[in-house]
Amino acid sequence: MRNGRRQKIAILTGGGDCPGINAVIRAVTKKAILEHDMQVIGVQDGYDGLVADSHRVLTYDDVSGIITLGGTILGASKSANPYKYPVKVRGGIELRDVSRTAVRTVKRLGVSCLVCVGGDGTLGIAHRLFKDGVPVVGVPKTIDNDVRGTDITFGFDSAVSIATDGVDRIHTTAQSHHRIMIVEVMGHRAGWIALHSGIAGGGDVILVPEIPYDTEKIARWVKRRLSLGRRFTIVVAAEGARPRGGTEVIRKVVETSADPLRLGGVSFVLAEELESLTGLEARAVLMGHLQRGGPPTPFDRVLASQLGSAAVDLIAGRKFGRMVAVRAGEVTSAPLSVAAGGPRVIPRHHRLLETARSTGAYFGD
Ligand code: F6P
C-alpha cells in the first residue's frame, strides 16, 4: 500500500433513497480498490456530510454483502443543498450559501474526485460544485426514472415491481367488491412508474402528469365498463396526475428542500369524485415509500453495478463534470449540465402510451 500517496476519492448519496444505491457504493469502492488501489471515503448523509465534515473511510469489507440491501449505508439528505443550506437563526431557519465550506471539505480531504449519486437535484448541485472547482462525477439514481441524459435510472425497476405487485393485489379485492380502486404511485412530476406499473398490472385507467385528465370522462368510462359487465375498475394514478385546467395535489411543502413540493393524495380526491359521479364505491391506496424500500431487483443490482464501475472509469480518465448514463442500451456518459435541466417526462408520442391505449387502457383524456 502506497500510504499517503494513494489516490483518494469520495462518494456521497443525495436526495431520496432508492433500491440499488448500495450496489453503486459497492461497485465504486470495490473497483477503485481492486483496479486502482484508491482509497474511498464515504461522505455521510449526502451534502450534509460535506458541510458538517462528516465522513469515513470505506474498506473492501465495509461494502461486502451490501448489494442486496435497500437504502444507503451512507445515509442521504433531501434538504442539504450547500447553495441553499438551512441554517438555524434566531426566530427560525434561514437558507444560506455555505458552498465554500463544502468545497473546503473536499479540498482538505485531498480527494481527486467526488462521486455524487443522486437524482436531478443532487446532480444539479454536483454540477455547481464542478463549476466551483470540485472534480465531480455523477451517477443518476431515482425511482422516478426522470433524470435527463439517461434512458433509465436504477431504482426504477424495483419501484415498478413493487407498484405492480400492489396493483395485482388490488385487482382481486376490486373484483370481489365491484369497486373502483385507485392505486396511487410515486414519480413526482413524471408518469413513468404509473405508465409501467399500469401496463404491467393491467390497469383500466392510467393517469400521468403528462396527460391531464377529465374526471367526468373517467366516470363515463367506468359506467361504460359496467354496461359491458365489467363491474370493477382499476385506476393507476401517478401522484403528480392533475385534472385538465387544474393542478396536482400537494401534500406538504418542505421549505428547506431544494425541491420543496411533496405530492400525494390525488387518489383520495378522485375516489370521492368518482363515487359521487358514478354511484359506485371507490377506494384509494397510496403505495408511498414502500416503492423506495427493500432489496433492489436483480435488474437494478446489475445496472447499479455497471454504473458504479463506469463512474470509476470516468475518474480514471479524468472526465470530470460528467455523469454515467445509459443510452440505447449502452453505458456511456453525459455532461452533468444535462441532468440539471429539470425532470425527463414522458414524451407526447412515447411508444408505451400507444401500447397502453392499444391494450385497452384509458388516460382520462
Ligand atoms: O424522487 C423520489 C420520490 O420518492 C418521489 O417519487 C416522491 O415524490 C418524493 O421522492 C417523496 O419525497 P419524500 O421522501 O421527501 O416524501
Side-chain angles (χ1 to χ4, degrees), residues 208-277:
V208 293
E210 294 84 348
I211 306 175
Y213 61 83
D214 181 325
T215 317
E216 294 195 355
K217 284 189 178 174
I218 301 174
R220 283 204 290 277
W221 179 274
V222 171
K223 285 192 196 156
R224 197 171 120 72
R225 280 176 57 79
L226 196 60
S227 70
L228 295 171
R230 298 182 186 126
R231 300 178 65 196
F232 71 95
T233 294
I234 304 286
V235 181
V236 180
E239 62 181 357
R242 60 198 162 91
R244 193 173 293 159
T247 54
E248 67 267 268
V249 178
I250 295 166
R251 179 172 46 88
K252 199 173 179 171
V253 179
V254 186
E255 297 290 358
T256 53
S257 175
D259 191 359
L261 297 190
R262 297 292 177 270
L263 305 177
V266 65
S267 52
F268 291 97
V269 174
L270 256 176
E272 296 251 318
E273 289 173 350
L274 289 178
E275 246 184 28
S276 76
L277 287 169

Side-chain angles (χ1 to χ4, degrees), residues 17-27 66-71 117 139-145 150-163 193 196 290-309 324 326 331:
D17 68 348
C18 75
I21 300 183
N22 283 326
V24 171
I25 298 172
R26 171 182 176 272
I66 64 169
I67 195 166
T68 55
L69 287 185
V117 186
V139 181
K141 69 98 246 234
T142 167
I143 62 165
D144 303 340
N145 201 32
T150 184
D151 295 343
I152 186 154
T153 54
F154 68 85
F156 175 63
D157 185 65
S158 304
V160 168
S161 84
I162 297 161
I193 299 178
H196 282 249
L290 283 175
Q291 295 159 101
R292 294 222 314 246
T297 57
F299 179 89
D300 276 339
R301 295 179 203 186
V302 173
L303 178 60
S305 301
Q306 279 182 296
L307 294 179
S309 165
V324 291
V326 178
V331 175

Side-chain angles (χ1 to χ4, degrees), residues 16-77:
D17 68 348
C18 75
I21 300 183
N22 283 326
V24 171
I25 298 172
R26 171 182 176 272
V28 167
T29 306
K30 285 198 169 184
K31 179 159 173 159
I33 293 173
L34 287 177
E35 294 191 0
H36 301 279
D37 188 31
M38 293 171 176
Q39 187 180 56
V40 183
I41 295 171
V43 177
Q44 212 60 46
D45 299 336
Y47 292 112
D48 251 342
L50 287 188
V51 178
D53 206 6
S54 170
H55 38 78
R56 65 190 157 108
V57 170
L58 290 177
T59 65
Y60 196 90
D61 285 347
D62 287 333
V63 299
S64 286
I66 64 169
I67 195 166
T68 55
L69 287 185
T72 159
I73 59 163
L74 293 175
S77 165

